[in-house]
Amino acid sequence: MVSFADVRRWKPEGLDAVHNELGRRRDDLINLQDELDGAKNPDGWSGKAADNAAEQHAKLVRSMRSLVAEVATVRVAVAAAADDVAKIKQQIQQADHEAQANGFEITEEGGVKDVKPPQDVPQDQLAQVRQQRIQVRDKLVQTIEHILDEAERTDAELAKVLVAAERDRIEPGKGGSLADAANTNDIQALVTAAGKPKDDSPRAAAQWWKSLSDEQRAALRENPPAWLGNRDGIPAEVRDEANRGRIDDERESLREEKAKLEQGGIAEDEREKLQQVDDKLKSLDEVEKTIAREKPPRQLLVLDSSGERMKAAVAVGNVDTADHVSVFTPGYTTTVQGSLGDYDSKMQELVKESTVELNRHGKNESVAAVAWLGYEAPQKSENLDVLGDSVVSSHSAQEGGAKLNDFYKGINESRDHDPHLTAIGHSYGSTTTGYALQQGGHDVDDAIIFGSPGVGTNDIGDLGVPDGHAYRLEAKDDPVADFARFGGDPSHMDGFKDLSTEKSGEGAGVTGHSDYLDPDTTSQHNMASVVAGMPENAVAGKTDGVGDVLSYVPHQAQEGGSAVYDFGEKTVAGVKDFGEKTISGVKDVFS
């Protein structure tokens, strides 16, 4: 019999820790598959000793399969219990609040005590007040009884599974491997009963997940379908578990594809495909290396090997619980294998600086930041035509923007309470961010662009960001920020607030195209202030590039059919200096 005092002491985080540890133990067991296979009798060995060895090996296999099935089943039960306990604890808190608000106290044993009866009640209202307090007390008693009933059920269901595991009553899943054994009939039945979202929208995914029973959610986390980790609208913690579990399968699939391509020699038209496969394998290595960083913990929110290049997104911090969440989208030449680790480090620094800002102003709030490489950014080529339709084509940005828009939506849809959400885009990534914001419905609270060649529109209203919450940074000697290729130069769009990139009391200045996120700089401080929801602490300021200078034309006259421009002190020498940052210079910095 579970007492109310027992339930008060229950800790769902303890069950979460057990759930995580069981996951590690299950993975350790499944990873013994190669050793188990290697322990089989060698070919050609026969006789009594061989028969005994084979019998012992078969016995070991059965034991291992049973153990894997038991760990998997207990893990599902623990996850379901953790969810139930969290709900029960929330109900207790609500009951305590209700009791205190009405002058009652719920005792350690679950009784209801009248500790603050109303004073000086008029005689003609005594009966009414007494009746109202009886009703409040009776409702609290019913609530406590319901809580105890739920606690008894939760305790009994977990105990049932634990006893079944202890007595070897859990049947392994069909199939010969240890991984197959983890997919027991009971788990598979729960997964099958859960079905799928009605469509691909983040809202449908979120509604579907929230509609499932605790047991169904736990079973899906134990045996996730391949699509679960990349589905916007599913909680970040669930996506992370599902995507981490797919890494080995993705690697094995890519290795098989590589072996097929290499079989019998490589034709000229297959070399590019082989290079793509090799790059994806390197990307998986980089993903594993990145998510192994644990301070703070990482979440793998996208792992997509379709298309020409690997796509990935890694969060620093917990996207499910953070008060402030930012999503950073990088640009030209970005790849998972070459860029993810560096951008993850920059997001860690951004989280750190944002947290410092919060603490400095007495706010105990949490921050998470996502490096979103969820689209195929344009890459360098030998015949790069920056002013043509190669790198500066908007196709990748538009396609990536649609995915990014869903990612924004998914963060908000998956949570009970929306976080303060900031969209951040650099270079061509700011263009992708612009297209994502233009699709609407994203509930982005703030947007930051830096080193931007344009956001796909000349009207800031198209971005759907609250007035006064779009910010722009341009560093000295950053020609890309004056490129004005996608909807015009954001420097001249009404509505953007300019934040400084120059030296200040908050940090060093930055120059060029690639240093905006460097630690201990004014630009990083400014972005951290916005991410933390305190833009008033940012340093305002605008740095004009030569492209901006050229647009400042005080007056124009016509002489001999030629236009004459008066730049004042900004003379033709400035134009010459800008001319030296030619197409080749843009190639080098457009990253």
Side-chain angles (χ1 to χ4, degrees):
M1 184 73 179
V2 177
S3 71
F4 195 77
D6 291 334
V7 179
R8 275 196 182 278
R9 289 191 291 269
W10 282 2
K11 296 180 179 180
E13 59 270 20
L15 289 170
D16 288 333
V18 172
H19 175 263
N20 293 334
E21 181 61 26
L22 286 170
R24 286 190 285 271
R25 298 294 180 89
R26 176 207 56 195
D27 293 344
D28 288 343
L29 289 168
I30 291 175
N31 289 336
L32 293 173
Q33 183 71 59
D34 289 342
E35 293 183 39
L36 195 62
D37 292 341
K40 291 180 180 179
N41 287 5
D43 293 339
W45 187 26
S46 61
K48 186 175 181 179
D51 292 342
N52 288 337
E55 183 179 343
Q56 290 299 315
H57 184 269
K59 183 178 179 181
L60 177 61
V61 169
R62 288 194 297 272
S63 297
M64 291 284 289
R65 284 174 52 78
S66 294
L67 184 57
V68 169
E70 289 164 4
V71 171
T73 302
V74 170
R75 187 169 186 260
V76 168
V78 167
D83 288 341
D84 286 340
V85 170
K87 292 175 183 176
I88 289 169
K89 296 291 284 187
Q90 185 176 25
Q91 291 170 2
I92 291 176
Q93 290 175 355
Q94 291 172 347
D96 282 335
H97 178 76
E98 181 72 17
Q100 292 169 8
N102 289 279
F104 291 95
E105 177 186 315
I106 300 176
T107 67
E108 184 73 7
E109 296 76 20
V112 179
K113 185 176 180 182
D114 192 345
V115 293
K116 289 185 179 179
Q119 303 295 319
D120 301 324
V121 179
Q123 188 67 30
D124 60 340
Q125 297 179 21
L126 277 175
Q128 180 182 358
V129 170
R130 184 180 298 111
Q131 185 61 34
Q132 289 174 344
R133 294 188 67 73
I134 290 173
Q135 291 175 354
V136 172
R137 181 202 63 193
D138 290 348
K139 182 180 177 182
L140 287 170
V141 169
Q142 291 175 358
T143 298
I144 293 167
E145 290 175 350
H146 172 73
I147 289 172
L148 286 171
D149 288 342
E150 287 296 299
E152 284 283 356
R153 180 189 62 78
T154 299
D155 184 65
E157 289 181 355
L158 181 56
K160 179 181 177 182
V161 174
L162 293 175
V163 169
E166 183 180 15
R167 298 179 180 177
D168 295 328
R169 293 177 179 173
I170 296 174
E171 190 71 22
K174 296 178 180 179
S177 72
L178 296 178
D180 293 332
N183 188 18
T184 68
N185 291 338
D186 288 343
I187 293 175
Q188 186 57 50
L190 287 167
V191 170
T192 300
K196 292 180 67 174
K198 64 180 181 180
D199 58 50
D200 293 335
S201 69
R203 174 164 294 181
Q207 290 175 342
W208 168 77
W209 182 259
K210 292 172 183 177
S211 74
L212 302 177
S213 68
D214 292 339
E215 291 79 10
Q216 287 173 324
R217 284 194 289 266
L220 282 161
R221 292 176 68 172
E222 181 63 29
N223 187 31
W227 51 265
L228 188 66
N230 289 329
R231 187 61 65 95
D232 295 313
I234 301 299
E237 186 176 77
V238 178
R239 295 178 69 166
D240 175 53
E241 289 179 357
N243 284 329
R244 286 174 187 257
R246 285 179 44 236
I247 291 176
D248 288 343
D249 292 339
E250 289 285 344
R251 182 178 285 109
E252 183 62 28
S253 178
L254 289 169
R255 284 173 175 169
E256 290 176 359
E257 185 177 358
K258 180 178 180 178
K260 288 180 181 179
L261 288 169
E262 292 176 333
Q263 198 170 31
I266 304 172
E268 189 63 34
D269 60 349
E270 292 178 329
R271 291 188 181 278
E272 183 178 356
K273 181 64 175 176
L274 181 61
Q275 184 61 54
Q276 291 175 4
V277 173
D278 281 335
D279 288 343
K280 289 178 182 179
L281 286 168
K282 292 176 183 176
S283 294
L284 285 177
D285 293 340
E286 185 64 21
V287 167
E288 280 199 306
K289 179 180 175 182
T290 302
I291 63 175
R293 300 170 178 173
E294 289 292 335
K295 295 181 180 180
R298 269 45 173 186
Q299 292 177 324
L300 180 57
L301 304 182
V302 174
L303 184 69
D304 180 6
S305 62
S306 66
E308 294 182 6
R309 292 187 296 281
M310 182 73 71
K311 276 80 66 183
V314 174
V316 177
N318 192 335
V319 172
D320 289 331
T321 60
D323 300 294
H324 306 273
V325 178
S326 63
V327 180
F328 167 65
T329 304
Y332 172 60
T333 73
T334 296
T335 63
V336 172
Q337 73 269 25
S339 313
L340 180 62
D342 179 52
Y343 286 129
D344 175 79
S345 296
K346 285 181 166 59
M347 291 303 99
Q348 179 168 334
E349 291 295 331
L350 184 62
V351 168
K352 178 181 177 181
E353 180 65 19
S354 300
T355 304
V356 166
E357 282 299 304
L358 287 163
N359 293 340
R360 190 164 72 172
H361 292 84
K363 295 186 177 182
N364 184 25
E365 297 173 353
S366 55
V367 184
V370 182
W372 189 84
L373 284 69
Y375 77 119
E376 296 187 18
Q379 301 295 302
K380 288 182 179 179
S381 66
E382 292 182 1
N383 299 315
L384 180 65
D385 175 14
V386 178
L387 295 180
D389 291 327
S390 52
V391 66
V392 294
S393 168
S394 64
H395 175 73
S396 294
Q398 290 175 329
E399 188 176 82
K403 296 179 180 179
L404 183 56
N405 178 268
D406 277 347
F407 190 79
Y408 295 149
K409 290 177 180 176
I411 291 174
N412 286 321
E413 291 287 355
S414 67
R415 296 180 42 151
D416 292 330
H417 304 286
D418 290 354
H420 168 239
L421 182 59
T422 303
I424 307 175
H426 174 225
S427 191
Y428 190 87
S430 71
T431 309
T432 305
T433 299
Y435 281 118
L437 294 174
Q438 288 177 62
Q439 307 221 3
H442 45 68
D443 290 329
V444 168
D445 300 292
D446 288 289
I448 304 171
I449 62 168
F450 55 102
S452 177
V455 293
T457 179
N458 282 316
D459 185 352
I460 199 170
D462 293 340
L463 303 183
V465 178
D467 290 346
H469 287 264
Y471 304 89
R472 184 193 71 92
L473 295 92
E474 178 178 344
K476 183 180 179 181
D477 296 331
D478 182 357
V480 176
D482 293 319
F483 205 31
R485 178 64 175 85
F486 306 105
D489 189 345
S491 302
H492 308 298
M493 282 179 63
D494 292 337
F496 272 106
K497 290 186 175 180
D498 289 300
L499 301 181
S500 177
T501 61
E502 299 180 0
K503 183 178 179 180
S504 72
E506 299 294 349
V510 296
T511 59
H513 186 60
S514 304
D515 298 337
Y516 291 86
L517 283 164
D518 283 2
D520 302 319
T521 60
T522 299
S523 59
Q524 189 216 39
H525 162 80
N526 284 339
M527 283 187 257
S529 296
V530 175
V531 167
M534 296 184 292
E536 65 275 11
N537 296 331
V539 180
K542 183 176 182 180
T543 302
D544 289 330
V546 176
D548 299 313
V549 172
L550 291 174
S551 66
Y552 298 155
V553 186
H555 65 265
Q556 174 178 329
Q558 293 291 330
E559 292 184 3
S562 299
V564 178
Y565 297 89
D566 179 7
F567 295 100
E569 295 182 1
K570 301 182 178 73
T571 60
V572 175
V575 179
K576 181 180 179 182
D577 178 61
F578 182 73
E580 293 175 357
K581 298 181 178 66
T582 57
I583 299 304
S584 61
V586 175
K587 290 182 185 179
D588 293 334
V589 299
F590 210 118
S591 58

